[in-house]
Amino acid sequence: MEKMEHTILEAQKGDRIDKVISGLNNEWSRTQVQQWIKKGQILVNGQEVKTNYKCNLGDQIEIQIPEPVELEVVPEEMDLDIYYEDKDVLVVNKPKGMVVHPAPGHMTGTLVNGLMAHCKDLSGINGVLRPGIVHRIDKDTSGLLMVAKNDLAHESLVNQLVEKSVTRKYKAIVHGVIPHDFGTIDAPLGRDPKDRQSMAVVDNGKHAVTHFQVLERFKNFTFVECQLETGRTHQIRVHMKYIGYPLVGDPKYGPKKTLDLNGQALHAGVLGFTHPRTGEYLEFEAPLPEYFEQLIIQLRNNH
């Protein structure tokens, strides 16, 4: 059984323990975390607590992560677009169409398969299925991801995500012409009660904030940059739909009649974080993929 330790930060003070821990990893549901608490697998300052325990600043949390289901992840040689790498972290530009980590039905061809062939020293703190992955982007979203290569880096990068100090800017093309130059969407996200495979704005969802800025307007579309303050599943896709401007090409949240792009026009173009060991702020920018550039030219010509 793996152990993970976490110290409660200012941003988490007063929050319930189950909320805090499920917020440390996209893959951990609150229900799953509550089961771990009831089984005594989560200790606060060495003591067992109830699921509604309210965290105090500096509380020492120890999480015993159950062994993940053994699914062998095979390293695969891939031509990865690596932007930065040292002994602690790696930044990679993921192409559209690539799944980030293996899951039943997707055991090969994922970014993790390629990373495991590229470097043998990935952080295993997230279990064998997700080595090094501290945040992820959807299969059909392209762009930059940071990967932890050891536990020190993993803990630091997770804490930076919790404290909202990681810079994550995405470029997107949406349906409709947004009249405002800037905006902020602050709406909680959770599972859609009508469709458990989708996310939606729901009253009891997790806090979610997206800032957007209009870059260019076309005849029936808008080119925007979205900056994440939080990083919920499908956050930009759901938030832009919620305000009436769904992403072009989005098969799940877009309109029936949309441009056929084999997935949403969304690119994680800017990623910035503080290096876990040196304390230096690093920021990277990946250019738009070719299909995205072509789409902008096409929309300009149709203006």
Side-chain angles (χ1 to χ4, degrees):
M1 192 173 281
E2 279 207 60
K3 280 192 184 176
M4 176 179 170
E5 293 182 350
H6 176 73
T7 303
I8 294 299
L9 308 162
E10 183 69 38
Q12 299 165 317
K13 190 172 69 176
D15 287 347
R16 281 174 54 126
I17 184 78
D18 54 350
K19 178 187 173 190
V20 167
I21 291 170
S22 63
L24 295 179
N25 188 318
N26 268 342
E27 299 301 315
W28 298 344
S29 72
R30 207 147 159 184
T31 309
Q32 184 182 21
V33 168
Q34 287 168 354
Q35 291 302 315
W36 295 351
I37 294 169
K38 285 172 185 166
K39 288 177 183 170
Q41 288 167 228
I42 293 171
L43 302 179
V44 179
N45 304 321
Q47 304 292 317
E48 291 187 19
V49 293
K50 294 211 159 57
T51 54
N52 63 354
Y53 173 82
K54 297 278 178 45
C55 295
N56 298 303
L57 180 64
D59 274 351
Q60 297 294 314
I61 313 297
E62 186 184 298
I63 307 160
Q64 294 183 334
I65 306 162
E67 289 297 324
V69 180
E70 277 294 341
L71 289 172
E72 191 182 350
V73 181
V74 183
E76 289 175 61
E77 291 294 334
M78 290 181 194
D79 187 15
L80 297 175
D81 186 9
I82 291 172
Y83 270 55
Y84 177 84
E85 183 177 11
D86 61 24
K87 65 181 180 181
D88 298 305
V89 293
L90 178 148
V91 176
V92 60
N93 185 21
K94 183 190 86 67
K96 183 183 177 77
M98 180 185 272
V99 174
V100 170
H101 56 64
H106 266 296
M107 288 308 295
T108 59
T110 74
L111 180 64
V112 164
N113 293 109
L115 287 169
M116 286 181 74
H118 174 78
C119 51
K120 307 288 181 262
D121 52 352
L122 288 180
S123 154
I125 201 162
N126 257 353
V128 294
L129 295 189
R130 298 176 195 93
I133 303 298
V134 288
H135 69 129
R136 58 182 189 163
I137 49 182
D138 300 329
K139 170 177 172 268
D140 292 322
T141 301
S142 57
L144 297 171
L145 269 174
M146 55 188 182
V147 178
K149 292 175 75 175
N150 52 53
D151 291 357
L152 166 111
H154 196 285
E155 175 79 355
S156 170
L157 295 176
V158 165
N159 282 347
Q160 289 179 54
L161 287 165
V162 168
E163 292 178 321
K164 307 183 180 71
S165 62
V166 177
T167 303
R168 286 175 290 171
K169 294 179 182 176
Y170 290 67
K171 299 274 184 20
I173 297 176
V174 299
H175 284 271
V177 181
I178 302 177
H180 313 287
D181 291 340
F182 301 92
T184 294
I185 308 157
D186 184 344
L189 297 180
R191 293 276 162 203
D192 187 337
K194 298 180 193 141
D195 175 9
R196 300 297 294 170
Q197 298 301 307
S198 297
M199 305 298 285
V201 172
V202 290
D203 287 345
N204 60 347
K206 289 184 176 178
H207 177 61
V209 178
T210 306
H211 307 281
F212 70 85
Q213 174 184 354
V214 169
L215 301 176
E216 192 172 347
R217 295 179 178 89
F218 309 110
K219 190 174 179 184
N220 297 307
F221 303 94
T222 309
F223 180 29
V224 295
E225 181 175 78
C226 295
Q227 181 160 355
L228 289 180
E229 190 172 303
T230 55
R232 307 301 177 200
T233 303
H234 302 168
Q235 179 171 316
I236 291 171
R237 297 164 65 187
V238 177
H239 269 174
M240 294 312 291
K241 175 191 177 183
Y242 179 66
I243 63 166
Y245 302 100
L247 267 60
V248 164
D250 192 329
K252 192 182 281 280
Y253 303 106
K256 291 272 190 289
K257 287 181 75 174
T258 186
L259 305 180
D260 185 13
L261 303 174
N262 292 317
Q264 61 279 357
L266 186 61
H267 175 65
V270 176
L271 176 65
F273 57 91
T274 300
H275 191 281
R277 197 177 295 273
T278 67
E280 180 190 358
Y281 178 73
L282 304 174
E283 189 168 287
F284 306 93
E285 184 163 4
L288 291 171
E290 190 180 351
Y291 89 91
F292 208 126
E293 292 277 19
Q294 293 301 321
L295 177 57
I296 289 172
I297 291 165
Q298 184 188 327
L299 293 175
R300 278 183 190 137
N301 292 339
N302 293 343
H303 203 50

